[in-house]
Amino acid sequence: MTQDQQRGAAPPDVDVVVVGAGFAGLYMLYRLRGLGLRARAFEQASGVGGTWWWNRYPGARCDVESMQYSYGFSDELQQEWKWSERFASQPEILRYANHVADRLDLRQYISFSTRVQAASWDEATDLWTVRTDKGDAVRARHVVMATGCLSTARLPEIEGIGSFGGRTYHTGQWPHEAVDFTGQRVAVIGTGSSAIQAIPVIAAQAAQLTVFQRTANFSIPSHNAPMDEPYEQEWKSDYPARRAKARAQHTGILRNLNDKGALEVSEEERRAEYERRWAVGGTAFMVSFNDLVLNEESNRTAAEFVRSKIREIVKDARTAELLAPKDHPIGTKRICADTGYYETFNRPNVSLVDLRSNPIERIVPEGVKLADGTVHAVDAIVFATGFDAMTGTLTSMNISGVGGETLAEKWAAGPRTYLGLCSAGFPNLFMITGPGSPSVLSNMIVSIEQHVDWIAQCLAELRQKGLTRIEAEREAEDKWVEHNNEVAHRTLYPRAGSWYMGANVKGKPRVFMPYIGGVGTYRKICDEVAAESYRGFRLGEPAAVPA
């Protein structure tokens, strides 16, 4: 007889509900099934892949090398899959996600095209009820939010968007059918990472491309190329050791680190190192020296090097200066990796509009109207305006915990979690790569695997001990939030008005959301918490059912 039957309570429909079927949801399902737990996943999209299902914009690809942006939990998976490029494109990553789902036979546990609308906690039974837009009301002992950090696309607050007479697109909600811009006048609003990838591809099609920029971003050429077979075999012959080293590094990415600061070497040595890193390409440029996010003077040398490269590449001096960021330290906003981004502004059919000096007043039927009255007539508008990152998806659901308090209410002044895994007042609710964990500052798959493994171990130990409840203690949560903020402010990151801080969403509290202490350090902390009988958590059995 189960504990629920002994107490006269109806048993849960499943042991765990997983929300999301991206890389986090798929691996979580796999681990839960391996533990013998009954699990069900809900996915809003019609297929697996998460962010790689939604983000189908032209030029979309990963900025982590393919050999590292993949699961490490299965040697069979990592040996049998062959990547075609150094940096994989969105279609290939989506094929990989589908391969994993089929290889592990996970689709049978996923309800697709189903959006979770609410989750409510019942204090009397220690159960969650998860409700969907399809009428499901599933009772579960635990809920795991595998909803991703960049999954709630955000349109800018510009008047008149609905009045535009042409087609509009958002890079985070791209159509599944091909979009052909041939012969069209196209506007791209935004110059973040998705725009930097999309702009060169759109420019090659469009008759005229007008880029509307408020904030310039630093970007490093990716030097993408077809996968080199010896390089692939080098990784596959040594995967376990390389994965272990990556998990211990700050970002979860195996990189050639420099143990010197930028100011410890001569100007000639410094320039040579930057040139070497630029030639290699990719976001590893930020480890050219070991203090680029800690020391303002060191950071300035890297930023000025990249600005000098922009000035070399972009022929028009005024455009080059507009594209050269000067309002934030390099790397404190997500640094981008591109394929021909700056070169695109040398094309005769591409122009750049500076929104700092002449903001958008409104969208009109024929196009984009600026504050000085100028109207840029276009046939299509692409909004590359990002996401309500890290918290938006979670707070948009009606998640109510102990006493009926919603997560949105609790996080009104900024997200509060313990380890980025749980939030006090919301028992048995886990978040994969939630705010307060390395998440977006790391190789997401490395961080996903660490969180999933920790949650799986926790659930296995709870079951072994006959416990049905785990909840973060408020004191532990407060100390973690304080530590998260303290570590962030030792760096230059808070100097930038980035989406790491929620600065891209009007009215969102300015809080540095990811944990910057490093993947290796964070993993050690999580392991210590588990080893010390889940320090900072309250564990227990179900409350008595009222007579």
Side-chain angles (χ1 to χ4, degrees):
M1 183 177 291
T2 67
Q3 285 183 330
D4 292 300
Q5 289 170 334
Q6 289 173 349
R7 295 165 52 250
D13 301 311
V14 295
D15 297 305
V16 186
V17 162
V18 178
V19 184
F23 284 114
L26 291 176
Y27 184 42
M28 190 75 253
L29 271 178
Y30 173 75
R31 288 300 314 274
L32 292 171
R33 299 303 304 180
L35 291 172
L37 294 172
R38 297 170 301 149
R40 183 175 178 185
F42 293 107
E43 168 55 56
Q44 183 175 351
S46 62
V48 301
T51 188
W52 299 107
W53 191 93
W54 294 100
N55 286 261
R56 298 163 180 261
Y57 60 85
R61 69 178 62 249
C62 189
D63 59 4
V64 177
E65 283 195 355
S66 306
M67 298 309 297
Q68 301 196 57
Y69 193 79
S70 56
Y71 287 121
F73 70 87
S74 165
D75 191 55
E76 288 185 358
L77 276 178
Q78 62 188 10
Q79 291 296 333
E80 70 190 11
W81 185 262
K82 289 185 66 68
W83 296 102
S84 67
E85 294 180 281
R86 179 186 174 198
F87 294 96
S89 66
Q90 177 272 333
E92 187 167 25
I93 297 171
L94 187 58
R95 286 196 297 274
Y96 174 69
N98 277 282
H99 170 75
V100 171
D102 293 335
R103 187 79 164 75
L104 303 179
D105 194 23
L106 297 174
R107 295 183 194 275
Q108 60 181 308
Y109 309 114
I110 307 169
S111 297
F112 291 106
S113 302
T114 305
R115 183 169 60 86
V116 170
Q117 293 181 315
S120 55
W121 172 254
D122 184 348
E123 188 73 4
T125 60
D126 280 1
L127 293 177
W128 284 96
T129 299
V130 178
R131 301 182 186 279
T132 75
D133 62 350
K134 296 295 177 64
D136 303 286
V138 180
R139 297 165 72 249
R141 181 69 66 201
H142 300 275
V143 174
V144 179
M145 291 294 175
T147 48
C149 298
L150 300 173
S151 50
T152 299
R154 177 188 160 274
L155 279 173
E157 296 182 13
I158 302 174
E159 289 187 29
I161 286 180
S163 71
F164 180 59
R167 296 291 302 272
T168 61
Y169 307 90
H170 191 288
T171 50
Q173 295 179 326
W174 204 260
H176 286 212
E177 64 276 7
V179 178
D180 186 1
F181 292 111
T182 301
Q184 295 187 33
R185 299 164 300 172
V186 182
V188 173
I189 298 177
T191 49
S193 56
S194 60
I196 283 172
Q197 291 184 335
I199 283 168
V201 181
I202 296 173
Q205 286 187 353
Q208 176 65 39
L209 174 61
T210 306
V211 178
F212 294 84
Q213 172 185 276
R214 183 180 62 184
T215 305
N217 271 299
F218 289 100
S219 188
I220 310 296
S222 68
H223 299 307
N224 190 35
M227 180 60 68
D228 180 68
E229 188 169 341
Y231 181 74
E232 178 188 18
Q233 290 309 312
E234 181 185 317
W235 269 88
K236 287 187 173 182
S237 66
D238 193 31
Y239 246 141
R242 294 185 182 213
R243 297 284 197 193
K245 288 179 183 177
R247 293 181 189 116
Q249 290 207 357
H250 194 84
T251 60
I253 303 172
L254 193 58
R255 289 168 166 170
N256 182 17
L257 303 179
N258 192 337
D259 61 0
K260 294 180 180 179
L263 305 181
E264 293 179 34
V265 301
S266 68
E267 185 175 347
E268 291 74 23
E269 288 177 274
R270 191 164 56 241
R271 177 86 190 187
E273 181 66 9
Y274 287 145
E275 288 284 4
R276 187 177 74 81
R277 299 279 182 164
W278 182 271
V280 171
T283 59
F285 179 85
M286 284 306 298
V287 295
S288 297
F289 295 97
N290 66 7
D291 61 349
L292 295 187
V293 297
L294 301 172
N295 185 300
E296 188 171 1
E297 286 303 313
S298 295
N299 186 282
R300 188 173 290 122
T301 66
E304 187 49 42
F305 173 84
V306 175
R307 285 192 285 262
S308 72
K309 286 295 186 183
I310 296 170
R311 293 174 186 126
E312 287 176 16
I313 294 168
V314 181
K315 295 175 182 176
D316 180 75
R318 179 180 176 278
T319 301
E321 286 307 312
L322 290 175
L323 290 168
K326 303 177 186 69
D327 64 349
H328 64 279
I330 187 171
T332 56
K333 300 183 92 169
R334 187 177 180 93
I335 195 167
C336 303
D338 70 84
T339 301
Y341 174 64
Y342 294 117
E343 291 86 347
T344 298
F345 291 90
N346 294 328
R347 296 177 63 102
N349 67 325
V350 177
S351 61
L352 181 67
V353 175
D354 175 28
L355 297 182
R356 289 286 178 92
S357 61
N358 195 8
I360 295 175
E361 179 183 297
R362 64 180 296 112
I363 303 296
V364 293
E366 61 269 33
V368 181
K369 182 180 180 182
L370 302 180
D372 68 356
T374 303
V375 174
H376 290 266
V378 294
D379 304 302
I381 300 176
V382 174
F383 293 104
T385 47
F387 303 86
D388 188 349
M390 301 194 70
T391 61
T393 303
L394 293 170
T395 56
S396 66
M397 295 182 199
N398 184 19
I399 303 172
S400 56
V402 176
E405 180 185 37
T406 67
L407 196 65
E409 290 168 342
K410 183 184 175 184
W411 287 5
R416 303 188 69 80
T417 72
Y418 181 38
L419 303 174
L421 278 161
C422 300
S423 194
F426 296 83
N428 293 4
L429 180 77
F430 297 96
M431 293 166 277
I432 299 177
T433 63
S437 74
S439 58
V440 293
L441 295 179
S442 68
N443 180 343
M444 286 298 295
I445 295 190
V446 169
S447 287
I448 283 168
E449 287 188 325
Q450 184 263 329
H451 265 193
V452 169
D453 289 341
W454 193 95
I455 294 167
Q457 176 190 335
C458 176
L459 294 181
E461 291 187 27
L462 289 176
R463 184 172 58 165
Q464 182 182 8
K465 296 174 181 177
L467 301 174
T468 56
R469 176 171 175 149
I470 180 169
E471 181 183 357
E473 296 175 349
R474 289 194 184 272
E475 183 180 359
E477 177 177 276
D478 291 344
K479 288 181 179 178
W480 183 253
V481 171
E482 181 181 351
H483 173 65
N484 193 65
N485 290 331
E486 177 192 351
V487 173
H489 284 276
R490 292 178 197 162
T491 74
L492 302 176
Y493 275 90
R495 302 273 191 94
S498 67
W499 57 260
Y500 297 144
M501 298 281 293
N504 64 320
V505 179
K506 186 177 181 180
K508 190 169 182 175
R510 300 295 183 264
V511 178
F512 195 78
M513 292 183 284
Y515 177 64
I516 203 171
V519 167
T521 299
Y522 175 81
R523 178 185 296 272
K524 183 179 178 182
I525 293 170
C526 289
D527 289 346
E528 289 172 352
V529 165
E532 296 173 23
S533 301
Y534 294 93
R535 183 186 74 235
F537 288 96
R538 281 194 302 274
L539 310 181
E541 299 177 359
V545 178

